[in-house]
Each structure stands twice: as structure tokens, then as C-alpha cells.
Amino acid sequence: MNKMSSDSVNKTKQAVDLMSAEELRDPALTAAKLLAQERAYFYEKFDPPFYIFSRYEDVNNALLDAETYIEGYGNGPNFQPPRGILSDAPHHTFTRGLIQRDFLVKKINDLRPRLEAIVQELLDAVADKTVWDLHDELSFPLPVIIICEILGIPTDDIQRFKRWADASVANMCASDPLEYAHELAEMNAYLLAQIHHKRKLGRTDDLLSVMALAKQDGEHLSDEELVAFAVQIFVAGNETTTSLISNLVWRLLTIDGLWDCFCGGEIDVEDAINESLRFDPPLLGLFKTTSRAVELDGVQIPAHTKVMMHYGAANRDPEAFPEPNTFKLKRSGKKMLSFSVGLHVCIGKELAKLEASVTLNALRQRYPGLRLVDEGERVGPFLFWGRSKLPVTHT
Ligand code: HEM
């Protein structure tokens, strides 16, 4: 995703193909195409077809209008029943309220020493390697370990979580719901056993216990509901944070001189994280469903239609961000939309930023000689943007 590719899209309208090899390789190309198209772009290449909003103002306004653009049919392109936190008021208010406390800035800051310890352990483990994979050995395990600890589930078999996490994100974009049924059933059974165990213990010292013991109108949440809710937290907090860390390191190592400036202390880690989120959003977009017919710039969108909020395009809208295709460390003005806004704004954003900040600071202290071995590989599903492999060396 570089300046050349997106600027080279000429101003004539070109059809968007989210699943094409070139757009998967370079989401800036999709962004440029979308920003040259009508504001509500009809995407026919998926079943069911959907609309895409790409301008900053349109995405922002839609996200703030939770009565028209609802969550209750899931945030992928397929229609799902409302479950857990992927729901609307009043159920969403209740579920979000249950976990909100654990993600407050103060609580998250208390996790800093633990995060630092995990990162140091992960970096110790690669100290003597000539080549290691930044995804597999650092940016993937860190969020999984911390989310498991927050939920109160064992971290004994991290590869099993990797399989489940991969299946969950792939399932979000799959046209055949049966494709990942086996892995998802395994994950659900595991979480259900954990939930039953928590209920038996009757304590409230971790997040899964709080959820397992919570009552709505005098009743515990159903097993199905609880499992869906736990999966949502697990999935929302892992792949995304992993991609934030790998994307940022990848970008710093790719753009001439940036890693050296970063290691020399000339770049503020918060600025780097914010620009990475704008430039390389781990989620390129998510879906809402219209609760009523709407009209945008002359395009009529019927009720009960999926609309993709394209964060990747909105973050590169020149009306909101001057020189949008340049990775610029000091930006003022509009905020990037990669964590969404409104009632469903990411609950884990402070945690994700803290994980990235601790990791990047440790990396620059311990391995200033870090270099890419090659570009690695892109994560599979089209909604996501990150590296599933990122071979590096520090010797
Ligand atoms: C860089 C990392 C992350 C990114 C880019 C990200 C992105 C997002 C986005 C775009 C949404 C809005 C969904 C919508 O409007 O439907 C969201 C919601 C959510 N995120 Fe994150 N997220 C990240 C990390 C995390 C972490 C670490 C957690 C921790 C558990 C988390 C938990 C959640 C939850 C529970 C929701 C649902 C909130 C609701 O619907 O009320 N996320 N995230």
C-alpha cells in the first residue's frame, strides 16, 4: 500500500473488486477507486450484494446514527442473528455495560507491567535466532495471552487459539458458513466448558466469570449467548491488535530511514501508532444493516440492506486528511476511523494501543538493528489488513 499505487488510479471510475489479487495486496488501491466512485457504491460481486460508504463524512455520520445503521445482523457481509455485543439497544447497552469497566483507561494502565513482562519473554525467546517471524513469535502471541488472562482462561496451548482465531476471522467473510464449522464448534465447546466451570466456582475475579454470573431481568445469559459474547471479545481483541503491531513495524522498516529515526527517539510512539491505524487499518471496514430506507447523494438504499463502512477509504479521504497517501507522523485535525465511533466504538482501543506501545518501545531498545527479510504474507480475509507472516532479523 504505497503512495504510487493509489495516486496512479486515474480519475475515471474503475470498478472495485475487493477480492482481486491486486486490491487484496494493496487496499490503498481500493480506497482510491472508491473515492472516485459515487458516495454510495453498489457492490454486486458478493452474495448478498451490499453498498459501500467511503467518504469520511458519510462513514462518520452513519456510524453516529445507530438507529438507522444497526448492528443486530452482525458486522460481516452475511446476515446473522443478534448475539452478545453484536446487537442493538437495549441488549447491547446491557452487554457492553458488563465488560466496559474492565477496559477503562485506568484498569488498562494497570496491565502495563504484565504486558512488559510478556513482551520481554517473547523477545528473549528469539534473541539467538538469525531469522524469526514477527507475527508468529511476537505480535500474535502477545494479544492472545493478555486476552486469555483478562477472560481468565488458560494459555497452555496457544497454537490451538491460533487455529480458532484464524477460523473465526475467515468465517466472518466466508460465503459458505459450513466451511469453518469444525474449528468453530471446537472453540465454542471449549469456551462453554470454561463458562460452566466459572459458574461452579461462583467468583467474579475475571471477565468470563463476570459474564457467566451476570443476570438480565433475573436470568443468567443463555449458554449460546455467552459463548457468542466470549468469542466476540476473543476475536475482536486478537487479530486486530496483532495486525496493528505487525503493520506498524512493517511500515517503519519499509519507509527509508524511519526505523532509525524511531530508534533514535525522534519519533513519538503514540504518533506512530495513530498514523499506522489511519494508514493501515487492521479492519478495512465493517458492516451495518439499514433499519429503514435511506438515500445518499441520490442513491436509494432499501431497508434491511448491508452497508460496508470502509474505514480504509475514509481514512484516506483528502477532504479529511491532507496528503492522505503519505505516512506522516504529525497530523492534526480529524481522527482516523479505524476504531469506529459512536455507540459501538471499540471497547479495547486503549488496550490495543498500550500493547503496541509496549512492544514497539521494547523492540527499539533491544533490537535497533531489526530488518525485514522479506515482505511476508498478507492475512487472508478481505476485511482484514495485516501480515500473517513477517520474517525479520536483528543480527
Ligand atoms: C488495533 C486493534 C483494534 C481495532 C482496529 C479494533 C477495531 C474495532 C472496530 C472498528 C469496532 C467497531 C465495530 C462496530 O462498529 O460494529 C470494534 C468494536 C469492538 N472491539 Fe475492537 N479493535 C481493536 C482491538 C480490540 C481489543 C484489544 C479488544 C479487547 C477485547 C476489542 C474489543 C472490541 C469489542 C468488544 C467491540 C464491540 C463494541 C460494541 O459493539 O459495543 N477490540 N473494534
Side-chain angles (χ1 to χ4, degrees), residues 29-51:
L29 191 59
T30 314
K33 285 184 183 182
L34 281 169
L35 290 165
Q37 285 283 0
E38 48 273 320
R39 287 165 56 187
Y41 179 76
F42 188 53
Y43 190 75
E44 290 175 283
K45 294 191 174 84
F46 195 85
D47 182 18
F50 51 79
Y51 285 84

Side-chain angles (χ1 to χ4, degrees), residues 63 71 75 85 92 96 99 103 147 233 236-237 240-241 244 277 282-283 286 288 311 338-340 343-349 351-352 355:
L63 291 170
E71 191 83 5
N75 54 12
I85 204 161
H92 172 257
R96 188 164 170 121
I99 59 172
F103 291 98
I147 288 285
I233 294 174
T240 48
T241 312
L244 166 59
L277 284 162
L283 277 166
L286 282 180
K288 305 281 175 186
Y311 312 132
S338 308
F339 287 126
S340 188
L343 290 183
H344 293 274
V345 64
C346 177
I347 216 165
K349 63 188 172 68
L351 174 59
E355 288 180 65

Side-chain angles (χ1 to χ4, degrees), residues 158-168 182-183 186:
I158 208 148
Q159 286 315 315
R160 179 178 55 182
F161 287 119
K162 171 150 177 46
R163 242 182 335 107
W164 293 344
D166 286 351
S168 307
H182 175 70
E183 284 86 353
E186 220 179 57

